[in-house]
Short mmCIF file of all heavy atoms in Angstrom, two decimals:
data_model
loop_
_atom_site.label_atom_id
_atom_site.label_comp_id
_atom_site.label_asym_id
_atom_site.label_seq_id
_atom_site.Cartn_x
_atom_site.Cartn_y
_atom_site.Cartn_z
N CYS A 170 3.42 5.80 6.96
CA CYS A 170 2.24 4.98 6.81
C CYS A 170 1.08 5.89 6.44
O CYS A 170 1.07 7.08 6.77
CB CYS A 170 1.93 4.19 8.09
SG CYS A 170 1.54 5.18 9.54
N ALA A 171 0.12 5.34 5.73
CA ALA A 171 -1.00 6.14 5.26
C ALA A 171 -2.23 5.27 5.08
O ALA A 171 -2.14 4.05 4.97
CB ALA A 171 -0.64 6.83 3.94
N ALA A 172 -3.38 5.92 5.04
CA ALA A 172 -4.65 5.22 4.87
C ALA A 172 -5.56 6.00 3.93
O ALA A 172 -5.51 7.22 3.87
CB ALA A 172 -5.33 5.02 6.22
N ARG A 173 -6.37 5.26 3.22
CA ARG A 173 -7.34 5.85 2.30
C ARG A 173 -8.70 5.21 2.54
O ARG A 173 -8.81 3.98 2.59
CB ARG A 173 -6.91 5.65 0.85
CG ARG A 173 -7.90 6.20 -0.17
CD ARG A 173 -7.44 5.95 -1.60
NE ARG A 173 -8.46 6.33 -2.56
CZ ARG A 173 -8.61 7.55 -3.05
NH1 ARG A 173 -7.78 8.53 -2.67
NH2 ARG A 173 -9.58 7.81 -3.91
N ALA A 174 -9.73 6.03 2.63
CA ALA A 174 -11.07 5.54 2.92
C ALA A 174 -11.79 5.09 1.65
O ALA A 174 -12.44 4.05 1.64
CB ALA A 174 -11.88 6.61 3.64
N ALA A 175 -11.70 5.88 0.60
CA ALA A 175 -12.42 5.60 -0.63
C ALA A 175 -11.64 4.64 -1.51
O ALA A 175 -10.41 4.57 -1.46
CB ALA A 175 -12.72 6.88 -1.38
N ARG A 176 -12.38 3.91 -2.34
CA ARG A 176 -11.75 3.00 -3.27
C ARG A 176 -11.06 3.76 -4.39
O ARG A 176 -11.44 4.87 -4.75
CB ARG A 176 -12.77 2.03 -3.85
CG ARG A 176 -13.39 1.07 -2.85
CD ARG A 176 -14.12 -0.07 -3.54
NE ARG A 176 -15.20 0.41 -4.38
CZ ARG A 176 -15.94 -0.37 -5.16
NH1 ARG A 176 -15.70 -1.67 -5.21
NH2 ARG A 176 -16.92 0.16 -5.90
N PHE A 177 -10.03 3.16 -4.94
CA PHE A 177 -9.30 3.70 -6.07
C PHE A 177 -9.48 2.75 -7.25
O PHE A 177 -10.04 1.66 -7.11
CB PHE A 177 -7.83 3.87 -5.72
CG PHE A 177 -7.15 5.01 -6.43
CD1 PHE A 177 -7.36 6.31 -6.02
CD2 PHE A 177 -6.29 4.78 -7.50
CE1 PHE A 177 -6.74 7.37 -6.66
CE2 PHE A 177 -5.67 5.82 -8.15
CZ PHE A 177 -5.89 7.12 -7.73
N THR A 178 -9.00 3.15 -8.41
CA THR A 178 -9.15 2.33 -9.60
C THR A 178 -8.56 0.93 -9.38
O THR A 178 -9.23 -0.08 -9.60
CB THR A 178 -8.49 2.98 -10.82
OG1 THR A 178 -9.00 4.31 -10.98
CG2 THR A 178 -8.75 2.17 -12.07
N THR A 179 -7.32 0.91 -8.96
CA THR A 179 -6.66 -0.33 -8.61
C THR A 179 -5.75 -0.06 -7.41
O THR A 179 -5.39 1.08 -7.15
CB THR A 179 -5.80 -0.90 -9.75
OG1 THR A 179 -4.72 0.00 -10.03
CG2 THR A 179 -6.64 -1.11 -11.01
N LEU A 180 -5.40 -1.10 -6.71
CA LEU A 180 -4.52 -0.94 -5.57
C LEU A 180 -3.17 -0.40 -6.01
O LEU A 180 -2.59 0.48 -5.36
CB LEU A 180 -4.35 -2.28 -4.85
CG LEU A 180 -3.50 -2.25 -3.58
CD1 LEU A 180 -4.18 -1.41 -2.50
CD2 LEU A 180 -3.25 -3.67 -3.08
N GLU A 181 -2.67 -0.91 -7.11
CA GLU A 181 -1.37 -0.45 -7.63
C GLU A 181 -1.42 1.03 -7.97
O GLU A 181 -0.50 1.77 -7.65
CB GLU A 181 -0.96 -1.27 -8.86
CG GLU A 181 0.35 -0.79 -9.48
CD GLU A 181 0.77 -1.61 -10.68
OE1 GLU A 181 0.19 -2.69 -10.90
OE2 GLU A 181 1.69 -1.18 -11.40
N ALA A 182 -2.49 1.44 -8.64
CA ALA A 182 -2.62 2.85 -9.02
C ALA A 182 -2.66 3.75 -7.79
O ALA A 182 -2.05 4.81 -7.76
CB ALA A 182 -3.86 3.04 -9.87
N MET A 183 -3.39 3.33 -6.78
CA MET A 183 -3.46 4.09 -5.54
C MET A 183 -2.09 4.22 -4.90
O MET A 183 -1.69 5.30 -4.47
CB MET A 183 -4.43 3.43 -4.56
CG MET A 183 -4.58 4.18 -3.24
SD MET A 183 -5.29 3.15 -1.92
CE MET A 183 -3.86 2.13 -1.52
N CYS A 184 -1.39 3.12 -4.85
CA CYS A 184 -0.10 3.10 -4.18
C CYS A 184 0.94 3.91 -4.95
O CYS A 184 1.74 4.63 -4.35
CB CYS A 184 0.38 1.66 -4.01
SG CYS A 184 1.43 1.37 -2.57
N ARG A 185 0.91 3.83 -6.24
CA ARG A 185 1.86 4.57 -7.06
C ARG A 185 1.56 6.07 -7.04
O ARG A 185 2.48 6.89 -7.07
CB ARG A 185 1.86 4.05 -8.49
CG ARG A 185 2.45 2.64 -8.64
CD ARG A 185 2.38 2.14 -10.07
NE ARG A 185 3.13 2.98 -10.99
CZ ARG A 185 4.42 2.87 -11.23
NH1 ARG A 185 5.13 1.93 -10.62
NH2 ARG A 185 5.03 3.69 -12.07
N ALA A 186 0.29 6.42 -7.00
CA ALA A 186 -0.10 7.82 -6.98
C ALA A 186 0.08 8.45 -5.60
O ALA A 186 0.31 9.66 -5.50
CB ALA A 186 -1.55 7.97 -7.43
#
Side-chain angles (χ1 to χ4, degrees):
C170 63
R173 178 181 173 86
R176 294 194 300 175
F177 211 77
T178 306
T179 65
L180 183 66
E181 177 179 347
M183 181 198 75
C184 210
R185 291 178 61 85

